[in-house]
Amino acid sequence: MTTVIELESVTKHYGRTVALDDFSLRVEQGQVHGFLGPNGAGKTTTMRILLGLLRISSGRVTVFGLDPWRDVPAIHSRLSYVPGDVTLWPNLTGGETLDILTRLHGGGRDRRPWLDLFELDPTKKNRTYSKGNRQKVALVAAFSSNSELLILDEPTSGLDPLVDQAFVQAVRGEQARGRTILLSSHILSEVERLCDWVSIIRNGRLVDSAPLAQLRGAQQTLITAHVDAPPDLALAGVSVVENDGDRLRLSVTAEALPELLRRLAAVGVHQFEAGAPSLEDVFLAHYQAAEER
């Protein structure tokens, strides 16, 4: 499998502030790769480095095997970027903007199916567009381009639920065509629906990176229990997702499960559920575990 994006032991300083700390990430060709983390975790810094807007302090980074700081034109001719807040030329129409963006990528495909899918009127001036419609212009430009890599940073910000469904359809279709997509989103259900691989960043460091199925089920079980008294949860392999007094939601590894069940039984359980955790559960468990250390 061909590696499209690779960051190896990357550090990025802003003065005394460390935005990325020995951070490594790999995105393979054809993946829809989810990139998760709260505000300030380092996601935007990572994407700006990939776009050649920031220079790393140390480490190594490549996109298509090229250096994004030195080889900007060669890389940008092969990728499209959609930010979370799109700014457009106010006096141009949406169609004129799409013409410019298409020429920047050396041409593209028929954009009419994408205009229909996202319900965008390209004859209107950009200054009349709502935030959601400005996002649509950027999405139509990206999906109708010939770019091999799409970097999408909160791309559905401002879109209504029906258009969000169109976005899901577009991503699935483009993955089937072999395009590589790096998707950053705060909408974890969206990532869960679309991504086959997920990486989680916290305070500039990679805390987990694995296939979605592995993150959700292969290593952890999500337990919801209503208990008669607080149990002892100081157990390696157990992360507290929620603790509402008599109601607990716990993420637990296979190794810790037998001892946890024994401790729950000791305090009395009157309702119990177990299953694979959602991506949100996994995400919260990672951050809860980090705060407890």
Side-chain angles (χ1 to χ4, degrees):
M1 187 174 291
T2 303
T3 300
V4 176
I5 293 172
E6 185 171 19
L7 296 94
E8 185 177 351
S9 301
V10 169
T11 298
K12 174 60 183 175
H13 297 277
Y14 295 106
R16 295 184 177 180
T17 301
V18 180
L20 294 179
D21 184 7
D22 194 31
F23 177 73
S24 297
L25 178 71
R26 178 175 292 181
V27 179
E28 306 291 350
Q29 183 178 355
Q31 280 183 348
V32 179
H33 194 119
F35 190 33
L36 303 181
N39 292 333
K43 301 190 307 300
T44 298
T45 294
T46 300
M47 292 193 170
R48 287 177 177 172
I49 288 171
L50 296 175
L51 294 169
L53 301 175
L54 292 175
R55 192 171 192 172
I56 62 176
S57 303
S58 64
R60 186 178 72 90
V61 54
T62 61
V63 179
F64 303 118
L66 302 172
D67 184 331
W69 183 253
R70 293 197 306 261
D71 304 315
V72 174
I75 291 173
H76 277 241
S77 67
R78 300 171 65 182
L79 71 78
S80 292
Y81 169 61
V82 179
D85 192 1
V86 174
T87 301
L88 304 174
W89 299 280
N91 292 323
L92 297 183
T93 66
E96 290 168 338
T97 302
L98 290 169
D99 288 338
I100 293 172
L101 295 175
T102 298
R103 286 199 295 270
L104 287 174
H105 289 90
R109 296 174 288 162
D110 182 4
R111 70 175 68 120
R112 284 173 296 181
W114 303 103
L115 293 171
D116 293 340
L117 180 64
F118 288 105
E119 300 180 351
L120 176 67
D121 182 353
T123 65
K124 293 184 177 180
K125 295 283 189 181
N126 290 330
R127 64 173 177 267
T128 69
Y129 282 144
S130 64
K131 181 182 188 307
N133 279 329
R134 293 196 302 272
Q135 291 297 126
K136 291 179 185 180
V137 172
L139 288 169
V140 170
F143 286 118
S144 64
S145 73
N146 291 321
S147 301
E148 301 164 52
L149 170 64
L150 305 183
I151 297 179
L152 310 178
D153 187 6
E154 304 292 340
T156 57
S157 175
L159 298 183
D160 61 53
L162 291 178
V163 181
D164 187 50
Q165 287 296 320
F167 173 77
V168 170
Q169 180 181 337
V171 169
R172 288 175 174 163
E174 293 311 288
Q175 184 185 27
R177 294 182 67 247
R179 284 174 125 175
T180 305
I181 299 173
L182 179 62
L183 171 63
S184 171
S185 177
H186 284 108
I187 306 173
L188 299 185
S189 60
E190 178 178 81
V191 174
E192 195 163 18
R193 278 187 294 173
L194 290 173
C195 296
D196 41 33
W197 195 288
V198 174
S199 295
I200 301 174
I201 186 174
R202 181 180 188 273
N203 292 336
R205 298 183 68 92
L206 186 71
V207 296
D208 209 343
S209 185
L212 177 61
Q214 180 177 324
L215 281 179
R216 290 189 64 241
Q219 296 180 337
Q220 295 175 315
T221 299
L222 180 70
I223 288 176
T224 302
H226 292 255
V227 295
D228 297 327
D232 178 9
L233 298 175
L235 182 62
V238 174
S239 297
V240 180
V241 179
E242 290 182 26
N243 187 346
D244 296 329
D246 65 342
R247 180 179 180 273
L248 301 171
R249 296 184 75 221
L250 309 170
S251 180
V252 55
T253 63
E255 294 78 12
L257 186 57
E259 176 60 19
L260 175 65
L261 294 177
R262 189 190 67 77
R263 295 186 185 190
L264 292 176
V267 299
V269 178
H270 55 269
Q271 187 174 337
F272 182 89
E273 297 177 8
S278 68
L279 181 58
E280 182 177 1
D281 295 321
V282 174
F283 182 79
L284 292 175
H286 272 297
Y287 274 74
Q288 182 66 35
E291 291 172 359
E292 292 171 353
R293 286 197 290 267

